[in-house]
Every structure is written in structure tokens, then in C-alpha cells.
CSV table of all heavy atoms in Angstrom, one decimal:
chain,number,residue,atom,x,y,z
S,1329,ARG,N,0.8,-1.2,-0.1
S,1329,ARG,CA,-0.1,0.1,0.0
S,1329,ARG,C,0.9,1.3,0.0
S,1329,ARG,O,2.0,1.3,0.4
S,1329,ARG,CB,-0.9,0.0,1.2
S,1329,ARG,CG,-0.2,0.2,2.5
S,1329,ARG,CD,-1.1,-0.2,3.8
S,1329,ARG,NE,-0.6,0.3,5.0
S,1329,ARG,CZ,0.5,-0.2,5.6
S,1329,ARG,NH1,1.2,-1.2,5.0
S,1329,ARG,NH2,0.8,0.2,6.7
S,1330,GLU,N,0.2,2.3,-0.4
S,1330,GLU,CA,0.9,3.7,-0.3
S,1330,GLU,C,2.2,3.8,-1.0
S,1330,GLU,O,3.0,4.6,-0.7
S,1330,GLU,CB,1.1,4.1,1.2
S,1330,GLU,CG,-0.3,4.1,1.9
S,1330,GLU,CD,0.0,4.3,3.4
S,1330,GLU,OE1,1.1,4.6,3.9
S,1330,GLU,OE2,-1.1,4.2,4.2
S,1331,GLY,N,2.3,3.1,-2.2
S,1331,GLY,CA,3.4,3.2,-3.0
S,1331,GLY,C,4.8,2.8,-2.3
S,1331,GLY,O,5.9,3.2,-2.7
S,1332,ARG,N,4.7,1.7,-1.6
S,1332,ARG,CA,5.8,1.1,-0.8
S,1332,ARG,C,6.3,-0.1,-1.3
S,1332,ARG,O,5.3,-1.0,-1.7
S,1332,ARG,CB,5.6,1.0,0.6
S,1332,ARG,CG,5.4,2.3,1.4
S,1332,ARG,CD,5.1,2.1,2.9
S,1332,ARG,NE,5.0,3.3,3.6
S,1332,ARG,CZ,5.2,3.4,4.9
S,1332,ARG,NH1,5.4,2.2,5.7
S,1332,ARG,NH2,5.1,4.5,5.6
S,1333,ALA,N,7.6,-0.4,-1.4
S,1333,ALA,CA,8.0,-1.8,-2.0
S,1333,ALA,C,9.0,-2.2,-1.0
S,1333,ALA,O,10.0,-1.4,-0.7
S,1333,ALA,CB,8.5,-1.5,-3.4
S,1334,SER,N,9.0,-3.5,-0.8
S,1334,SER,CA,10.0,-4.2,0.0
S,1334,SER,C,10.8,-4.8,-1.2
S,1334,SER,O,10.3,-5.6,-2.0
S,1334,SER,CB,9.5,-5.2,0.9
S,1334,SER,OG,8.9,-4.5,2.0
S,1335,ILE,N,12.1,-4.6,-1.1
S,1335,ILE,CA,13.0,-5.3,-2.2
S,1335,ILE,C,13.9,-6.4,-1.4
S,1335,ILE,O,14.2,-6.3,-0.3
S,1335,ILE,CB,13.8,-4.3,-2.9
S,1335,ILE,CG1,14.9,-3.5,-2.0
S,1335,ILE,CG2,12.9,-3.3,-3.5
S,1335,ILE,CD1,16.0,-2.9,-2.7
S,1336,ALA,N,14.3,-7.2,-2.3
S,1336,ALA,CA,15.3,-8.3,-1.9
S,1336,ALA,C,16.1,-8.7,-3.2
S,1336,ALA,O,15.7,-8.4,-4.3
S,1336,ALA,CB,14.6,-9.4,-1.3
S,1337,TYR,N,17.2,-9.5,-3.0
S,1337,TYR,CA,18.2,-9.8,-4.0
S,1337,TYR,C,19.0,-10.9,-3.5
S,1337,TYR,O,19.3,-11.1,-2.3
S,1337,TYR,CB,18.9,-8.6,-4.5
S,1337,TYR,CG,19.5,-7.9,-3.4
S,1337,TYR,CD1,20.6,-8.3,-2.6
S,1337,TYR,CD2,18.9,-6.7,-2.8
S,1337,TYR,CE1,21.1,-7.5,-1.5
S,1337,TYR,CE2,19.2,-6.0,-1.7
S,1337,TYR,CZ,20.4,-6.4,-1.0
S,1337,TYR,OH,20.8,-5.7,0.0
S,1338,VAL,N,19.3,-11.8,-4.5
S,1338,VAL,CA,20.4,-12.9,-4.1
S,1338,VAL,C,21.2,-13.1,-5.4
S,1338,VAL,O,20.6,-13.2,-6.4
S,1338,VAL,CB,19.6,-14.2,-3.7
S,1338,VAL,CG1,20.5,-15.3,-3.7
S,1338,VAL,CG2,18.9,-14.0,-2.4
S,1339,PHE,N,22.4,-13.2,-5.2
S,1339,PHE,CA,23.4,-13.3,-6.3
S,1339,PHE,C,24.4,-14.4,-5.9
S,1339,PHE,O,24.8,-14.5,-4.7
S,1339,PHE,CB,24.1,-12.0,-6.6
S,1339,PHE,CG,23.2,-11.1,-7.4
S,1339,PHE,CD1,22.4,-10.2,-6.6
S,1339,PHE,CD2,23.3,-11.0,-8.7
S,1339,PHE,CE1,21.6,-9.3,-7.3
S,1339,PHE,CE2,22.4,-10.1,-9.4
S,1339,PHE,CZ,21.6,-9.3,-8.6
S,1340,SER,N,24.8,-15.2,-7.0
S,1340,SER,CA,25.8,-16.3,-6.6
S,1340,SER,C,27.1,-15.5,-6.1
S,1340,SER,O,27.4,-14.5,-6.5
S,1340,SER,CB,26.0,-17.1,-7.8
S,1340,SER,OG,26.8,-16.3,-8.9
S,1341,SER,N,27.9,-16.4,-5.3
S,1341,SER,CA,29.1,-15.8,-4.7
S,1341,SER,C,30.0,-15.5,-5.8
S,1341,SER,O,31.0,-14.5,-5.7
S,1341,SER,CB,29.7,-16.6,-3.6
S,1341,SER,OG,29.9,-17.9,-4.1
S,1342,ALA,N,30.1,-16.2,-7.0
S,1342,ALA,CA,30.9,-15.9,-8.1
S,1342,ALA,C,30.8,-14.6,-8.6
S,1342,ALA,O,31.7,-14.0,-9.3
S,1342,ALA,CB,30.9,-17.0,-9.1
S,1343,SER,N,29.6,-14.0,-8.5
S,1343,SER,CA,29.3,-12.7,-9.1
S,1343,SER,C,29.4,-11.5,-8.1
S,1343,SER,O,29.3,-10.4,-8.5
S,1343,SER,CB,27.9,-12.7,-9.6
S,1343,SER,OG,26.9,-12.7,-8.6
S,1344,TRP,N,29.8,-11.8,-6.9
S,1344,TRP,CA,30.0,-10.8,-5.8
S,1344,TRP,C,31.2,-9.8,-6.1
S,1344,TRP,O,32.1,-10.2,-6.8
S,1344,TRP,CB,30.2,-11.3,-4.5
S,1344,TRP,CG,29.0,-12.2,-4.0
S,1344,TRP,CD1,27.7,-12.1,-4.5
S,1344,TRP,CD2,28.9,-12.9,-2.7
S,1344,TRP,NE1,27.0,-13.0,-3.7
S,1344,TRP,CE2,27.6,-13.4,-2.6
S,1344,TRP,CE3,30.0,-13.2,-1.7
S,1344,TRP,CZ2,27.5,-14.3,-1.6
S,1344,TRP,CZ3,29.6,-14.1,-0.9
S,1344,TRP,CH2,28.4,-14.6,-0.7
S,1345,GLY,N,31.0,-8.5,-5.9
S,1345,GLY,CA,32.0,-7.7,-6.0
S,1345,GLY,C,32.3,-7.1,-7.4
S,1345,GLY,O,33.4,-6.5,-7.7
S,1346,ARG,N,31.4,-7.4,-8.3
S,1346,ARG,CA,31.5,-6.9,-9.7
S,1346,ARG,C,30.5,-5.8,-10.1
S,1346,ARG,O,30.4,-5.5,-11.3
S,1346,ARG,CB,31.4,-8.2,-10.6
S,1346,ARG,CG,32.4,-9.2,-10.4
S,1346,ARG,CD,32.0,-10.5,-11.1
S,1346,ARG,NE,33.1,-11.5,-10.8
S,1346,ARG,CZ,33.8,-12.1,-11.6
S,1346,ARG,NH1,33.8,-11.8,-12.9
S,1346,ARG,NH2,34.7,-13.1,-11.3
S,1347,GLY,N,29.7,-5.4,-9.2
S,1347,GLY,CA,28.8,-4.3,-9.5
S,1347,GLY,C,27.5,-4.8,-10.1
S,1347,GLY,O,26.6,-4.0,-10.3
S,1348,TYR,N,27.3,-6.2,-10.1
S,1348,TYR,CA,26.1,-6.7,-10.8
S,1348,TYR,C,24.9,-6.4,-9.9
S,1348,TYR,O,23.8,-6.0,-10.4
S,1348,TYR,CB,26.1,-8.3,-11.1
S,1348,TYR,CG,27.3,-8.5,-12.0
S,1348,TYR,CD1,27.9,-9.7,-11.9
S,1348,TYR,CD2,27.6,-7.7,-13.2
S,1348,TYR,CE1,29.0,-10.1,-12.7
S,1348,TYR,CE2,28.6,-8.2,-14.0
S,1348,TYR,CZ,29.3,-9.3,-13.8
S,1348,TYR,OH,30.3,-9.7,-14.8
S,1349,ALA,N,24.9,-6.7,-8.6
S,1349,ALA,CA,23.8,-6.6,-7.7
S,1349,ALA,C,23.4,-5.1,-7.7
S,1349,ALA,O,22.1,-4.8,-7.8
S,1349,ALA,CB,24.1,-7.0,-6.3
S,1350,SER,N,24.4,-4.2,-7.7
S,1350,SER,CA,24.0,-2.8,-7.5
S,1350,SER,C,23.3,-2.3,-8.9
S,1350,SER,O,22.3,-1.7,-8.8
S,1350,SER,CB,25.3,-1.9,-7.4
S,1350,SER,OG,25.1,-0.6,-7.5
S,1351,GLN,N,23.8,-2.7,-10.1
S,1351,GLN,CA,23.1,-2.4,-11.3
S,1351,GLN,C,21.8,-2.9,-11.4
S,1351,GLN,O,20.8,-2.3,-11.8
S,1351,GLN,CB,24.0,-3.0,-12.5
S,1351,GLN,CG,25.2,-2.3,-12.7
S,1351,GLN,CD,26.1,-2.9,-13.8
S,1351,GLN,OE1,25.5,-3.5,-14.7
S,1351,GLN,NE2,27.4,-2.8,-13.8
S,1352,ALA,N,21.5,-4.2,-11.0
S,1352,ALA,CA,20.3,-4.9,-11.1
S,1352,ALA,C,19.3,-4.2,-10.2
S,1352,ALA,O,18.1,-4.1,-10.6
S,1352,ALA,CB,20.5,-6.4,-10.9
S,1353,VAL,N,19.6,-4.1,-9.0
S,1353,VAL,CA,18.6,-3.5,-8.0
S,1353,VAL,C,18.4,-2.1,-8.5
S,1353,VAL,O,17.2,-1.6,-8.4
S,1353,VAL,CB,19.3,-3.5,-6.6
S,1353,VAL,CG1,18.5,-2.7,-5.6
S,1353,VAL,CG2,19.5,-4.9,-6.1
S,1354,ASP,N,19.4,-1.3,-9.0
S,1354,ASP,CA,19.1,0.1,-9.4
S,1354,ASP,C,18.1,0.1,-10.6
S,1354,ASP,O,17.2,0.9,-10.6
S,1354,ASP,CB,20.4,0.7,-9.8
S,1354,ASP,CG,20.3,2.2,-9.9
S,1354,ASP,OD1,19.7,2.9,-9.0
S,1354,ASP,OD2,20.8,2.8,-10.8
């Protein structure tokens, strides 16, 4: 309600530290 969103994300550890999560969530 009221224009609120709960977000979540999961990425494989091989992809950590490469900026992928940041880009995808953004």
C-alpha cells in the first residue's frame, strides 16, 4: 500500500564484487 515496496536480491558468490547486484537493484 501507499507506494511502498520491499526489495530483496540474491546473487551467486561468483558474481559478488563486480557491481552486478548494484546495477540490477538500481
Side-chain angles (χ1 to χ4, degrees):
R1329 65 188 197 297
E1330 300 172 9
R1332 296 179 173 199
S1334 294
I1335 66 161
Y1337 42 84
V1338 171
F1339 287 82
S1340 67
S1341 61
S1343 67
W1344 293 351
R1346 298 172 186 240
Y1348 299 143
S1350 179
Q1351 290 176 26
V1353 172
D1354 197 43

